[in-house]
Structure formats: C-alpha cells, structure tokens
Amino acid sequence: MWGWRSVSVATLCIALNGAWPALAAEPVGQAVVVKTQVTGQSGPIEVDTRVHRNERIKTSQSGLGQFVFRDGTKLAVGWGSSVVIDKYVFDDSQSVKKLTIRAAKGTFRWVSGNSNSSAYQILTPAGTIGVRGTAFDFYVGPDGTTAIVLLNGAARFCGPGGCRQLQQRCDCVVAKPNGDMSAARRVDPSILATLGNQRALPFLSGNQRLAGGIGMLGGCNMASVAPERKDRTRPPPAVAPAPQRQDLPQRQAEPQKERPNKPDKPHHDKPHHDRPHHDKPHHDKPDRPDKHDGHGRHDDDGKPGNHGLDHRGHERHHDRDRDHDNDRNHDRGHNFNRGR
C-alpha cells in the first residue's frame, strides 16, 4: 500500500518539475520588427514571435529586433547584441511591478511603457540605469564600457564611481566597470572615438533605422556620422549607379556641340560674300563721281580720264563748222535773191 503511494507521489513530483519551466516561461512580449537574424531561447525569432521571461535575445552583426512588452514598453536591439529579460513581475494587464533587463553587450533603445518609472531597471556591466518616464539609447562595449544618451524625460546612471543625472535631451554619460565615469554633457560624434567603435549608437547616427514611432526619437546632431553602407564591406552596389547618373548631363550636352546657330559664323558671312566684288568699279558707288569727273579733265596722254575734255573740244569744233556753213548758206541765198 505504502509502496504504491510512494510511486504515485514520485510520479507527481516529476510531472510538476517537468511543468515548472513551462510555467516560468510565460510570455511577456513579442517581436514586431526583425531584420537579418535575431535568435531567442528556442531558436530564430520572427515577427509576432513571443518572448519570455529569462529569455536571452541575440542579434547577428547586421541583425535588428524591435520588441513590445505587455505594458507598452518598447525595446530595440541593434546589431551584435545580447540581452536577457531578467525579471518581469505582473501588476495587471496594463502594467508591471518589476521589469528588469540585463544588457551584456550591444546597442539598444528603450522607451518606457505604462508602468510606474520605479518599475523599470536596466543592468549593465558598468552600472544601473534608473528610468524616470524615459526614452534613451545606450551602448555596452565588449569591455563593459557603457554609454547612455537621453532622448526624452530623465534618467539616472549609478556605478562604482557614483551617480550621474541626465536631465536635458541629448545628455550623455560614459562609464567603465572600474568606476570611471564622465560628467553629463551633450553628445556629439566624437563619442564614437571615445567608445572605440564607429558602429556604436547606430540609431542616433542613422546606421540602423527603426520602424514606427520609436524611430522618430533620434538625432542629437549624430546624423553626420558615416552611414551604414560605408561601414560595410560591400560598398560597390551603392556606388555603382553613380556613373550612370553622371552620364546624363553629358548626353544633354551633346546637342551643344552641333551648335546649329554658331555665333562666330553667321549665315551672312558665307564664303561667296567674302569675295571683293563690292570693290569692283561698277559696284563701288563712291567711285562713280570720279568717273564723271574724268569726262571734264583733259590730259595729253589720252588716258580714259581725258575723254571728257576731248569730247568738249570736239563739240566746239563741230559748232564752228556749223556756224561757217550757215554763213555760207546765207551768203548764197543773198546773192541768189540779188540776181533775181
């Protein structure tokens, strides 16, 4: 009798122990955007895939995942990242009592949901980010160096070296695991050199673009950083179309080479008009008075210019002969009448 009961109790314990992981893995959110490769505890994560408490989420070197938790909190996980949903204690369907994530490495964007600010906590190797109704980006390097950039609201970063308050938009703090921590100051592109990684904070620089309203929070004058396509090892596809675009102005310039109306060669300057026919005597109007003047000159050498004087001399001789003939005819008529 006791032996049977012992077997039954043992079987029930084994069943409960086997069901415990399933009960612990209650879903706390789901993926809304997935690019390239994002994996969870059970394998690849796709859009609408649920994520669970204590689940580790990883992205590839070009991966991107956006997640929404049950209380409306949004978390973007950029390339080369690893994060664990450490604690998730439900309050009701619209809020939680506790939401803690542990970021081991990578790039992230956080936007608080409907829960009280005190419910949120983000753990990094260099310290803890306390959320105050906030939106911010943060980066965790391979050595644990952590940078946080405030986008909205307020936040507090505490580590071995003390705490820093971030109260102004684009305030930035950089902290190391050994306790070294910078003062809060406005972020600028030089922070990438400080972090030793040009791919850090990609949501601010535009190297990775987020979908939806979560992607409208970036900026802080970080957009001047080289875009993602220049960081990759495959730039030719982005550069290849450039020569084709440069050819268009050259094709448009070809008609100018034909130059149908050449300003330096007008139609009135054809070769046959360049001949000096306007200089011929019969076309040159200024020379015509000279020709008439030539008729009034009398040269001894009989050149064409003497023709006018010779002609006048000939007329005077002709007039003398005609007068002489008239006199003779008059005399003849007089004598004839007298003889009658």
Side-chain angles (χ1 to χ4, degrees), residues 6 25 35 61 104 147 154 157 184 188 190 197 214 254 288 323 329:
S6 298
K35 295 182 180 179
Q61 290 302 312
F157 189 92
D188 59 61
S190 66
N197 185 358
I214 191 174
E254 288 178 358
R288 289 178 182 175
D323 295 339
N329 292 331

Side-chain angles (χ1 to χ4, degrees), residues 108-171:
F108 308 88
R109 173 166 291 181
W110 170 279
V111 178
S112 298
N114 300 322
S115 303
N116 292 329
S117 298
S118 58
Y120 303 120
Q121 192 175 49
I122 299 173
L123 306 178
T124 74
T128 301
I129 303 173
V131 181
R132 300 291 182 268
T134 315
F136 53 85
D137 281 14
F138 63 102
Y139 165 79
V140 180
D143 62 349
T145 299
T146 301
I148 175 175
V149 179
L150 182 67
L151 301 178
N152 189 22
R156 185 182 186 189
F157 189 92
C158 295
C163 295
R164 297 288 186 271
Q165 300 290 336
L166 295 95
Q167 299 177 337
Q168 300 293 328
R169 173 175 165 80
C170 301
D171 275 356

